[in-house]
Every structure is written in C-alpha cells, then in structure tokens.
Amino acid sequence: MSSLTLLYNEIAQCEKCGLSKTRTMVVPGEGPEDADVLFIGEAPGWHEDKQGRPFVGPAGKFLDELLAAAGFKRTDVYIGNVIKCRPPNNRDPLPPEISACKQWLDRQIEIISPRMIVTLGRYSMARYFPGKSISRIHGTAVKRDGIIYFAMYHPAAALHQFSLRKAIEEDMRKIPRLLEDTATGRISDLVREDRER
Ligand code: URA
C-alpha cells in the first residue's frame, strides 16, 4: 500500500476535533504521490463532504478550468486542504481545528515532497505567509529550502468577483514558468529567495 493510502486510512479514523462528529466523509486530498505542485485550499464544502474528494463543487469546477488554462490536468497535481472535514454550514475553520489537523497536512507534504506549494485563499496562505495580506502578495512567490511557495486567491472568491477572476487566471498561468525555472535551477524573476527565516 502506498504511503499516502496508509495516511488516508489514518485520517479517516481521526477524532482530534469536533468536526469528526458532524462530517459525512473525511476529505484527505487527492493526486499523485510524486506531484510537483501541491495546491492547498481551505476546507471541504457540502459537495466534498458527500464525496470525500477535494474541490468537486462549483469552486472545484473553476479550479479545473484554471488548471486546464495553465496546461495542467487535474490528475497531474495534488489538491488538499488545511482542514480535512467540513465545518458545519461552511463556517470558517476555528484555530483549534486548524491545529488539530496540521499534522495531516505536514505528513502529506513530507510524503509528496513537492517542488511548489500553491496556497488558495487566506487559511493556507496564513501557514506560509503569516501576517501578509492576500491582495498584496497574490501572484508572488518565495523560495525557501528549495520549495517555491506561491499565494493565490481562493477560486470560490474569484468565481463571484470579476476583478479577482482576472487576477487568479493570471496568477495560475505563472505556475508553469515557475516550475520550469526550478527544474533548470534558474531563479525566475517571479521568485524572491527568502533568507529571513
Ligand atoms: N473549498 C476549499 O477550500 N476546499 C475544497 O475542497 C472545496 C472548496
């Protein structure tokens, strides 16, 4: 059994926070174990909770379109979330839920070892760009310890606001170039090396 499948079995048993009582299914994430790019959203919504798969509702359809426009197949990339269970009525995840769930995302990242991590929305952005504002840093990348971190708006937000839609489309189209540059060892002008940490 693959390392991710073993991890999914553990996540399915998780009762580390109260969301385990209200969920229909856990939504661990999906994609290849050796994906180059890992997208991190916020939390499952209604559709994801029913199907046990990330980004399968309207925001997911839009994410699929964005990926296709940038030349990716959904099956090429890994898609996960900060929180693995749906918060009731799609409320924002609470700090204790985020902390309880952190170990799962940490272990996914360790197994997948992606070249690039793309944050979708505020909650995943906060993990890698604490204290930053999404309107300022979306579409910019930093490189830390060999991994490129790239912040984007959440597809659900961009779906309903035309100005964000254009921004998220442009940001997604930067990803292939960022990946190509890491493959050749060249630092793209889109990336800032982070020496602050
Ligand atoms: N929004 C998210 O952040 N994640 C999903 O899986 C679906 C919608």
Side-chain angles (χ1 to χ4, degrees):
M1 214 181 276
S2 76
S3 306
L4 275 181
T5 308
L6 289 169
L7 182 64
Y8 295 162
N9 291 343
E10 277 188 67
I11 299 176
Q13 310 295 323
C14 181
E15 294 183 352
K16 289 181 197 303
C17 81
L19 297 181
S20 62
K21 297 193 176 59
T22 51
R23 72 184 176 219
T24 310
M25 293 182 78
V26 290
V27 182
E30 67 184 21
E33 193 153 318
D34 61 352
D36 283 336
V37 193
L38 191 160
F39 288 85
I40 309 175
E42 181 178 318
W46 189 88
H47 296 275
E48 291 77 20
D49 175 66
K50 294 280 176 279
Q51 295 184 39
R53 296 183 56 213
F55 282 97
V56 289
K61 298 279 167 295
F62 184 40
L63 179 60
D64 291 349
E65 285 173 30
L66 291 166
L67 287 168
F72 293 109
K73 288 202 290 283
R74 182 181 164 114
T75 48
D76 291 339
V77 300
Y78 194 89
I79 302 176
N81 280 307
V82 171
I83 293 282
K84 311 301 187 208
C85 299
R86 180 188 181 219
N89 304 315
N90 295 349
R91 66 154 166 74
D92 288 345
L94 302 174
E97 294 162 354
I98 295 173
S99 335
C101 223
K102 182 175 179 298
Q103 59 154 313
W104 301 128
L105 186 55
D106 288 344
R107 286 176 60 192
Q108 283 171 308
I109 294 169
E110 206 178 298
I111 292 169
I112 297 161
S113 186
R115 281 160 54 205
M116 181 164 181
I117 291 183
V118 181
T119 64
L120 300 172
R122 285 180 296 142
Y123 285 89
S124 50
M125 182 188 73
R127 194 181 145 113
Y128 299 104
F129 304 94
K132 302 283 190 210
S133 141
I134 194 150
S135 58
R136 283 180 181 273
I137 68 156
H138 76 87
T140 65
V142 294
K143 192 169 186 188
R144 286 180 205 136
D145 306 326
I147 300 180
I148 293 188
Y149 297 88
F150 185 66
M152 288 181 46
Y153 283 110
H154 194 286
L159 198 53
H160 302 296
Q161 236 181 299
F162 189 73
S163 57
L164 301 190
R165 198 175 170 125
K166 193 156 176 287
I168 200 172
E169 285 167 358
E170 279 172 12
D171 292 347
M172 182 68 88
R173 281 198 294 267
K174 292 179 185 173
I175 295 177
R177 194 173 127 211
L178 286 162
L179 274 178
E180 199 179 306
D181 286 0
T182 46
T184 58
R186 196 171 57 213
I187 282 271
S188 158
D189 53 15
L190 300 169
V191 181
R192 179 168 62 78
E193 283 267 21
D194 199 346
R195 297 183 211 280
E196 285 165 21
R197 291 156 40 109

